[in-house]
Amino acid sequence: MERFAWQQARSVAEAATLAKRTVAEAMLADPAQPAAADCVVLKAGGIDLLDLMKERLLRPARVVNLREIPGLDGITMNIGTGDTSAGNTGSGNANARSTSATDASAGDASGVRIGALVTLAQLAAHPALRQRYTALADAAASSASPQIRQVATLGGNLLQRPRCWYFRSAAHHCARKGGDHCFAFAGENHYHAVFGQAGCAIVHPSTVATALVALDARVELATAQGTSRTVKLGDFLVGPEIDIRRETDLRAGEVLTAVLLPPASPGARSAFLKQAEKPSFDWSIADVAVVLECASDGRCRRVAVVLGAAAPVPWRARQAEAVLAGQMIDPVAARAAGQAAIVGAAPLPHNAYKLPILAALVRRAVLQAAGTADPEDAR
Ligand SMILES: Cc1cc2nc3c(=O)[nH]c(=O)nc-3n(C[C@H](O)[C@H](O)[C@H](O)COP(=O)(O)OP(=O)(O)OC[C@H]3O[C@@H](n4cnc5c(N)ncnc54)[C@H](O)[C@@H]3O)c2cc1C
Ligand code: SF4
């Protein structure tokens, strides 16, 4: 690793002032050249950032630590309900109630604000989140390894760079790093996308992003000037057809401050399932999040089915949703949704194996979200 200066940010405004470039922009610089003095990057848990630096893919002159900024590490239940405020120091709604990572006493009618520095371990362990947003808690619990989850933050997880091995290799100057070639289409593409490849076949690396898109989450971004914007996560994550050189709409001079979840409808239930080569310490080869809301007659009145590790962004399986809408959720409907989810896939030479896995995960996640027994479990 190269030498770099270290700076402790004390506030979001200070960090945003210092963040003159995003990591995606900084990685377009020629790695053989010394770091430019204005190459200043933000660090949360540091798992991905230091990995890029150790591989000499990123050579910042200065690293700005976000971990000591107050107010970015809370999970705030019931935003907007007028509950008592207790230590909500983030930039979210003042009529909010902060909870520790173990507080399950929140009500059930309103949204949630999750600070960007909340760790994956805290997300996985939060009882009220698990009860109302099960898919998110399960996605966090299945990410990486127990040790990594203690350090990795939600913000950093959403902003981590892709795992494509050509992208991670200093010897391959591929299109995502400013080159003019994608090595994956004719190369080793076992772990690459089966949908949505537009000159680049990465899969989005964040496991929690699959669940968050299904849950219709938004991200909150703040600037040095004190302004902020919130964007649907599904719009914030950028596919290669929009820009092949970045995965998000994070702009220089912005800090991701929070993820916002809409209120969970009383009848809504969610499920998340992941398949990886190893049960821990590994990214998904396929994952699925399902959010289902059924009417009193048992028919599905709202559904989201999102595929992870399948495309450069979490991939909304609209055809699977259409199969389920208005139906009673039973094993036949779940199986049909699984098959519909993979219609239109365009697998590469080495990754068609992902399609039956995705179909099976959709089928199982639909049944799990509906609370319906899976007849194939009995076999
Ligand atoms: C063996 C292994 C297995 C893994 N398995 C999985 C897995 O299954 N699923 C999964 O999702 N991930 C997995 N990961 C990746 C890991 O979870 C991420 O690297 C980690 O979550 C990144 O979070 P961080 O807080 O360490 O981010 P950092 O490394 O600190 O930052 C990541 C990026 O985000 C930027 N950044 C961070 N926070 C902010 C902010 N608030 N505002 C603006 N920019 C910011 C940084 O500049 C950097 O570009 C795995 C990692 C390893 C090593
Ligand atoms: S899939 Fe994307 S990141 Fe991987 S080599 Fe091709 S352009 Fe680069």
Side-chain angles (χ1 to χ4, degrees):
M1 198 189 296
E2 306 290 322
R3 292 171 69 86
F4 59 88
W6 173 262
Q7 187 160 350
Q8 194 69 59
R10 300 287 166 204
S11 67
V12 168
E14 184 185 10
T17 305
L18 291 163
K20 297 257 187 297
R21 292 186 200 184
T22 64
V23 164
E25 288 166 350
M27 285 183 68
L28 296 174
D30 182 350
Q33 298 299 316
D38 68 346
C39 186
V40 180
V41 295
L42 304 179
K43 181 204 80 75
I47 306 273
D48 193 42
L49 191 83
L50 296 186
D51 204 12
L52 295 170
M53 291 167 64
K54 283 187 281 188
E55 296 297 335
R56 296 176 185 240
L57 297 166
L58 173 68
R59 301 177 66 190
R62 182 177 300 260
V63 172
V64 176
N65 188 24
L66 303 174
R67 294 299 298 252
E68 305 297 321
I69 298 177
L72 296 184
D73 59 354
I75 298 176
T76 309
M77 310 302 294
N78 299 344
I79 52 174
T81 59
D83 274 11
T84 51
S85 179
N88 175 36
T89 49
S91 57
N93 193 317
N95 291 328
R97 179 172 173 282
S98 281
T99 65
S100 73
T102 53
D103 184 326
S105 61
D108 62 1
S110 57
V112 178
R113 183 175 195 279
I114 307 171
L117 293 181
V118 168
T119 64
L120 299 182
Q122 288 172 311
L123 277 182
H126 195 284
L129 276 184
R130 174 162 293 285
Q131 187 190 358
R132 284 198 243 165
Y133 304 94
T134 311
L136 175 59
D138 282 349
S142 75
S143 298
S145 66
Q147 295 90 337
I148 291 169
R149 292 195 293 273
Q150 291 292 333
V151 178
T153 67
L154 176 57
N157 185 271
L158 294 173
L159 295 166
Q160 64 177 302
R161 301 232 59 199
R163 300 306 310 173
C164 169
W165 36 35
Y166 300 110
F167 179 82
R168 295 273 162 176
S169 151
H172 293 82
H173 188 52
C174 77
R176 191 162 286 274
K177 290 185 287 189
D180 57 8
H181 185 68
C182 172
F183 297 90
F185 286 93
E188 298 291 332
N189 47 47
H190 304 67
Y191 302 120
H192 287 74
V194 291
F195 291 99
Q197 316 99 333
C200 167
I202 60 157
V203 294
H204 198 276
S206 168
T207 306
V208 294
T210 312
L212 288 170
V213 170
L215 290 164
D216 210 15
R218 303 176 73 85
V219 289
E220 180 187 83
L221 301 131
T223 66
Q225 293 71 40
T227 58
S228 70
R229 62 182 176 119
T230 64
V231 193
K232 275 194 171 198
L233 180 61
D235 296 331
F236 180 68
L237 302 177
V238 168
E241 73 286 359
I242 295 174
D243 190 343
I244 203 168
R245 300 187 302 184
R246 60 192 168 103
E247 299 79 58
T248 71
D249 186 33
L250 181 76
R251 300 169 192 168
E254 281 188 332
V255 174
L256 196 159
T257 44
V259 171
L260 310 172
L261 294 173
S265 315
R269 293 183 57 177
S270 64
F272 172 87
L273 292 172
K274 166 176 171 174
Q275 183 67 51
E277 287 185 340
K278 300 189 295 249
S280 182
F281 224 82
D282 206 1
W283 282 265
S284 309
I285 52 176
D287 59 57
V288 169
V290 171
V291 180
L292 266 184
E293 191 182 336
C294 292
S296 52
D297 65 358
R299 292 190 185 276
C300 168
R301 70 172 167 208
R302 199 170 64 86
V303 59
V305 179
V306 177
L307 313 181
V313 294
W315 192 256
R316 194 86 186 242
R318 299 275 182 197
Q319 298 189 68
E321 295 172 3
V323 162
L324 296 171
Q327 301 300 312
M328 302 293 290
I329 304 301
D330 60 16
V332 174
R335 177 174 290 281
Q339 290 307 314
I342 55 174
V343 170
L348 301 171
H350 303 295
N351 68 7
Y353 74 93
K354 286 191 174 193
L355 300 185
I357 298 174
L358 285 163
L361 290 179
V362 168
R363 181 184 64 74
R364 290 175 50 208
V366 166
L367 292 175
Q368 195 170 306
T372 303
D374 185 344
E376 299 201 15
D377 283 347
R379 290 185 191 164

